[in-house]
Amino acid sequence: MLEINFKKGFGSDNHSGIHPHILKALFEVNKSHAPSYGTDSITELVRKKFCSLFGNNAQPFYVFNGTAANVLSIKTLIESWQSVLCSDISHLNIDECGAPEAIAGVKLIPVKSNSQGKLTPEELEKHMIRLGDQHFSQPGLLSITQPTELGTVYTLEELSELHEFAQKYQLKIHIDGARLANAAFYLKVTFKEILQVFPADAVSFGGTKNGLLGGEAVLLWNPDHIKKFKYVRKQNLQLPSKMRFLSIQFYTYLQDDLYLKIAEHSHMMAKLLEEKIKGLPHIHICYPVESNAVFIQFPKKWTTSLKENKFFYIWDSQHWIARLMTSFDTTESDINEFQSSLLQLSEKGVNNEI
C-alpha cells in the first residue's frame, strides 16, 4: 500500500483535493460507455447551465489547464501582429513561460498595475501609441485578472471604466477568471452582471483552483470565435476525448450554487486568517483581503519554521511577502495552528530570542 503523507497548508487553492460532491459525481459518471469529444449528454447539460449563468449564447470549451485557457483565448481573438495589454504582475505575463508569445504568436505589453494590482485607464492610455504604424505591434486585446494576482477584486465601476477604454480603441476583452466565482461572491453579483459592465469576448473560467480534479473552461459568445476555437483547441493538443469527466465536474460545480458556497467558505477562512494574525508583532498584512488570498510580511528568518507547520509560497522575495491561499477544505483549526506558530515566533522576537 502506498503511504501518503501530505499536509494541508496555504500554498495554493490548487493544492487541495477534489471537493467531495465533485468526486462523487466522477464516480457516478464512470459507468458504461459514452460518446467522446463532447457529444455526450452531460456535456450538453452543462452547456445549458453555462448559458443560464453567463448568457444564452455562451459556449464552453474545456481544456486541461489555465495556461491553455488563457493562451488559446488570445490566439482565437486577435492576430499575430497584434498585442495584448495585461497587468505587469498578471499570470499571463509572469507565469506562462512565454506561452502567449510561443503559442499565440502575439506580443504582451505589461502595464504597470496600481497598489492593489489593478489596471487603470490612465496607465493603459500610455501604451496606445503608434496606432496604425506598420512597424509597431498594434494593441488588439485587453486582458484582466478577476480577482487580481493580489487577491483584490475590480469593482463594477472599475470594470465599466475599463470597458469604456476598450471600446474607445476597439480592443477585444479577455478575463482570466481562474477564481471568478470568488469575485462574484465578494461583489454579491452574478456572472451576468459582471459581463453586463465588462462584456468579455472570452473568459477563462477556472475549475482546478475551485475543487475540481482538473480542467478549465473557455467561454465564448461570438459565432466566429466559437467556430475558430474548435480548430485552435484541437491543433494545440487541448481537445479532451473522454469529455464527460470534465463536463460532470463543471456541472456539479455549477449546480445548487456549489461554486458560491466554495467561494464563500474560502473567503470566510481568508478573513478569519486575517483577523487572527493582524496586530501581531512583526506582521504586516499587505493588501485588502477580498477573495481567498492573504499577503503578509514577516521577518525572513521565520520562514523555515513557519513552512514546517503550513506550507506557503513567498510571493515577493524582494520585500519578503508571503501569499497564503485558502480553499474549500481550509478549516478554522488550520488557521489556529498557523496563528499559534506566528505567536510563538512573535514572542521570541519580542524577547530577542531570535
Side-chain angles (χ1 to χ4, degrees):
M1 184 71 176
L2 180 64
E3 184 176 340
I4 304 295
N5 188 29
F6 295 152
K7 292 172 61 177
K8 281 204 294 182
F10 300 116
S12 177
D13 37 10
N14 66 18
H15 287 196
S16 70
I18 309 169
H19 191 281
H21 292 351
I22 295 171
L23 184 58
K24 181 181 178 182
L26 280 166
F27 277 107
E28 289 297 317
V29 81
N30 189 36
K31 296 177 181 178
S32 192
H33 288 200
S36 56
Y37 301 113
T39 57
D40 61 277
S41 58
I42 296 166
T43 298
E44 175 59 20
L45 278 176
V46 74
R47 185 192 69 80
K48 293 177 180 177
K49 188 63 180 176
F50 270 112
C51 285
S52 71
L53 294 171
F54 287 88
N56 290 334
N57 297 322
Q59 178 66 48
F61 291 90
Y62 306 121
V63 295
F64 297 114
N65 52 57
T67 298
N70 288 338
V71 174
L72 299 190
S73 292
I74 290 168
K75 188 173 179 65
T76 299
L77 295 181
I78 61 173
E79 303 292 339
S80 59
W81 44 266
Q82 294 180 299
S83 54
V84 178
L85 297 165
C86 61
S87 165
D88 54 348
I89 63 169
S90 66
H91 199 280
L92 195 64
N93 184 49
I94 302 295
D95 292 299
E96 306 287 25
C97 193
E101 294 89 344
I103 306 301
V106 301
K107 181 179 178 62
L108 296 184
I109 299 180
V111 179
K112 182 175 174 57
S113 54
N114 66 15
S115 61
Q116 293 194 5
K118 300 177 181 180
L119 291 174
T120 63
E122 292 75 22
E123 284 297 326
L124 288 164
E125 192 75 47
K126 296 176 183 178
H127 298 273
M128 303 309 293
I129 58 174
R130 298 177 66 176
L131 302 182
D133 183 348
Q134 64 183 332
H135 302 287
F136 193 79
S137 179
Q138 298 295 292
L141 185 144
L142 170 63
S143 178
I144 72 160
T145 310
Q146 175 75 325
T148 73
E149 301 297 340
L150 301 183
T152 55
V153 176
Y154 287 97
T155 65
L156 294 185
E157 182 180 356
E158 289 168 333
L159 290 175
S160 179
E161 291 172 354
L162 288 174
H163 176 231
E164 288 180 12
F165 172 84
Q167 274 192 313
K168 177 181 176 181
Y169 291 104
Q170 298 181 318
L171 302 176
K172 295 288 197 308
I173 293 175
H174 166 252
I175 298 175
D176 181 345
R179 301 181 177 95
L180 190 60
N182 294 79
F185 171 76
Y186 178 77
L187 294 172
K188 298 295 184 288
V189 299
T190 65
F191 295 129
K192 283 182 180 178
E193 288 172 318
I194 291 174
L195 292 172
Q196 282 173 358
V197 299
F198 196 67
D201 295 281
V203 174
S204 302
F205 186 71
T208 310
K209 293 179 171 65
N210 302 292
L212 276 65
L213 168 64
E216 313 292 308
V218 173
L219 298 174
L220 300 166
W221 289 263
N222 183 292
D224 292 335
H225 299 155
I226 290 169
K227 181 179 180 181
K228 182 178 179 180
F229 193 88
K230 289 196 305 180
Y231 302 103
V232 168
R233 176 173 64 169
K234 175 65 176 180
Q235 193 177 63
N236 288 275
L237 321 179
Q238 288 289 322
L239 175 61
S241 174
K242 296 182 180 180
M243 199 176 292
R244 70 186 187 276
F245 291 100
L246 287 169
S247 298
I248 194 63
Q249 293 181 77
F250 279 102
Y251 184 75
T252 309
Y253 178 57
L254 297 175
Q255 277 291 97
D256 302 320
D257 292 338
L258 180 60
Y259 66 98
L260 285 176
K261 293 170 185 174
I262 290 173
E264 178 179 16
H265 177 78
S266 60
H267 179 65
M268 182 174 67
M269 290 296 100
K271 293 299 290 184
L272 180 62
L273 179 59
E274 176 191 33
E275 180 183 329
K276 291 277 188 176
I277 64 179
K278 69 180 180 183
L280 292 180
H282 312 294
I283 302 294
H284 171 63
I285 297 173
C286 303
Y287 311 111
V289 179
E290 297 176 350
S291 57
N292 62 326
V294 182
F295 289 80
I296 65 172
Q297 277 181 316
F298 54 83
K300 186 176 182 178
K301 56 190 172 183
W302 293 8
T303 306
T304 301
S305 178
L306 286 173
K307 280 190 174 183
E308 288 175 356
N309 176 269
K310 296 291 180 189
F311 180 78
F312 54 85
Y313 288 107
I314 297 299
W315 170 265
D316 180 344
S317 57
Q318 182 177 356
H319 302 98
W320 212 253
I321 297 174
R323 186 191 73 167
L324 311 173
M325 298 295 301
T326 58
S327 58
F328 76 86
D329 61 353
T330 303
T331 65
E332 187 170 350
S333 176
D334 295 326
I335 291 167
N336 288 338
E337 288 175 19
F338 191 71
Q339 180 200 33
S340 177
S341 296
L342 281 172
L343 280 169
Q344 292 175 22
L345 290 166
S346 295
E347 289 170 0
K348 289 180 180 179
V350 169
N351 297 326
N352 297 317
E353 294 177 29
I354 58 171

